[in-house]
Amino acid sequence: MAEAANVRQNLQNVPSIFEISAAETLDNLIYPALSKVFDYFGLRLDFKLWGNIRVREELSPLVTWILQYLYLRKRASSFGESFYGLQRTASTTGELLTRRQQFSSATLLTLLPYVERKLRARSAQHEDTYAWESQLINLFHVYNASKAVHTFLYLIKYASSHSPVFRALRLTLRYPSEPPKEDKWTYLFLKMLEVLAFFLQFIQWWYSNDQRRKLGGTLQNPDAMPQRELPQELREILPKCGECPVCLLPLQTPTACAVSGYVYCWKCIVTHLKEQGTCPMTSYPITIEDLVRIYEA
């Protein structure tokens, strides 16, 4: 009787694959939404590390890691898992996370989506990739296939974990048997962060509409200065039709800036973007996602 009651209780504590997928979707919203916020305000890491080595990196991965680690420390769950009332426990003993598992979980929650997004972005933009980057992309294909297999096995109650990462960490997701023990201020702070989930969804919606607005052409392009108002020596060095405004040579791999409408060589605009983060002709803030490759029919 006791064993039967224990089995029934364990089955009741097992979340469905739909709840797990919803929690993962919410976790995956954090990094891109924070990226848009920080890009909008121009916040990023930019410092000289050593010699001529300079670090230019976004703040989003660091903030995402801190947020996830805070939830794993306080509630033994990620941000999305906590929002849906789930908790990470050891798959064999049912105990809560150790300090090492908390650190590993937060790192993998942040690092895997970040690296995959960066690699796919470089591949989609036809940048020169190294051999090890191609191998990493193949490894992510293998990982996603393995995750699909684990999800299917979890769905038919054959596996206790829905993901190869959970299996490697020897963890599983369960409903908590009792609410987490937190002081008043910690509870209020985490509740405020959970409200952030709706803000993250709003940011994602706003960014999608903003992209459609740019592509739809509702953004007014800046008027070019009439050449008659320019000095003669300056008019002679202006780019002619079919020339890149940066290198003043015939366009190679023409790429348009969706914010301003100007067309540049791909390498010229990408190099300028990495150094300045603006359109060379208008000084409007732009990102790599604002560049549109132009193909000739």
Side-chain angles (χ1 to χ4, degrees):
M1 291 290 291
E3 289 184 3
N6 192 23
V7 169
R8 185 167 59 253
Q9 182 180 5
N10 288 335
L11 289 175
Q12 292 174 350
N13 286 341
V14 176
S16 68
I17 195 62
F18 302 105
E19 292 164 315
I20 294 175
S21 298
E24 288 183 346
T25 300
L26 186 54
D27 279 328
N28 292 334
L29 277 177
I30 298 175
Y31 167 66
L34 289 177
S35 296
K36 305 312 171 191
V37 173
F38 290 144
D39 286 345
Y40 181 79
F41 290 104
L43 301 175
R44 60 191 300 115
L45 294 173
D46 190 351
F47 60 91
K48 196 172 184 179
L49 183 62
W50 178 74
N52 294 326
I53 301 177
R54 191 169 190 88
V55 175
R56 289 188 178 94
E57 191 52 73
E58 51 187 337
L59 286 169
S60 311
L62 178 61
V63 177
T64 302
W65 187 91
I66 294 174
L67 177 66
Q68 296 289 21
Y69 185 71
L70 175 65
Y71 267 85
L72 290 162
R73 280 289 306 275
K74 297 298 183 180
R75 294 188 174 177
S77 58
S78 69
F79 178 77
E81 293 158 3
S82 174
F83 187 82
Y84 286 95
L86 307 179
Q87 193 175 65
R88 299 189 178 203
T89 60
S91 55
T92 54
T93 62
E95 297 178 353
L96 296 181
L97 305 181
T98 62
R99 185 65 61 87
R100 182 178 180 180
Q101 288 174 327
Q102 292 169 0
F103 184 86
S104 301
S105 296
T107 302
L108 291 173
L109 275 168
T110 306
L111 190 62
L112 288 179
Y114 171 74
V115 173
E116 184 177 12
R117 185 181 293 268
K118 287 291 184 181
L119 290 174
R120 293 190 184 280
R122 282 174 58 84
S123 177
Q125 292 155 8
H126 307 287
E127 293 188 10
D128 295 333
T129 57
Y130 299 100
W132 63 268
E133 291 179 319
S134 300
Q135 293 174 358
L136 269 181
I137 292 177
N138 292 332
L139 285 177
F140 274 109
H141 289 316
V142 174
Y143 166 74
N144 290 328
S146 175
K147 187 176 179 181
V149 172
H150 275 77
T151 301
F152 175 74
L153 295 177
Y154 180 86
L155 190 61
I156 62 175
K157 304 294 189 296
Y158 191 80
S160 59
S161 301
H162 69 284
S163 165
V165 172
F166 274 73
R167 184 175 182 180
L169 296 175
R170 298 179 181 178
L171 298 175
T172 187
L173 280 176
R174 293 290 184 268
Y175 292 113
S177 55
E178 57 182 15
K181 299 178 181 179
E182 300 168 344
D183 58 79
K184 179 181 178 180
W185 293 110
T186 302
Y187 174 79
L188 290 176
F189 178 69
L190 295 181
K191 276 296 180 183
M192 289 178 61
L193 288 179
E194 289 180 4
V195 176
L196 182 65
F198 298 100
F199 176 71
L200 293 178
Q201 293 180 358
F202 169 76
I203 290 295
Q204 197 73 2
W205 168 83
W206 168 76
Y207 177 71
S208 299
N209 284 346
D210 189 56
Q211 287 296 95
R212 286 196 293 269
R213 177 179 61 85
K214 290 178 182 179
L215 296 177
T218 58
L219 183 65
Q220 184 177 3
N221 292 333
D223 295 330
M225 183 181 293
Q227 291 192 15
R228 64 177 180 273
E229 299 179 8
L230 300 175
Q232 178 65 28
E233 60 272 12
L234 187 57
R235 275 184 285 172
E236 292 177 356
I237 64 173
L238 282 177
K240 300 178 178 61
C241 181
E243 291 183 350
C244 172
V246 176
C247 66
L248 302 179
L249 296 174
L251 287 167
Q252 299 292 329
T253 316
T255 304
C257 176
V259 174
S260 64
Y262 284 96
V263 181
Y264 308 92
C265 297
W266 167 254
K267 289 187 177 180
C268 293
I269 184 59
V270 169
T271 302
H272 182 87
L273 177 60
K274 290 179 179 179
E275 295 176 354
Q276 305 293 333
T278 60
C279 171
M281 295 296 290
T282 63
S283 297
Y284 285 174
I286 60 173
T287 65
I288 197 72
E289 296 175 352
D290 295 319
L291 304 182
V292 181
R293 171 73 186 280
I294 297 178
Y295 296 93
E296 295 182 2

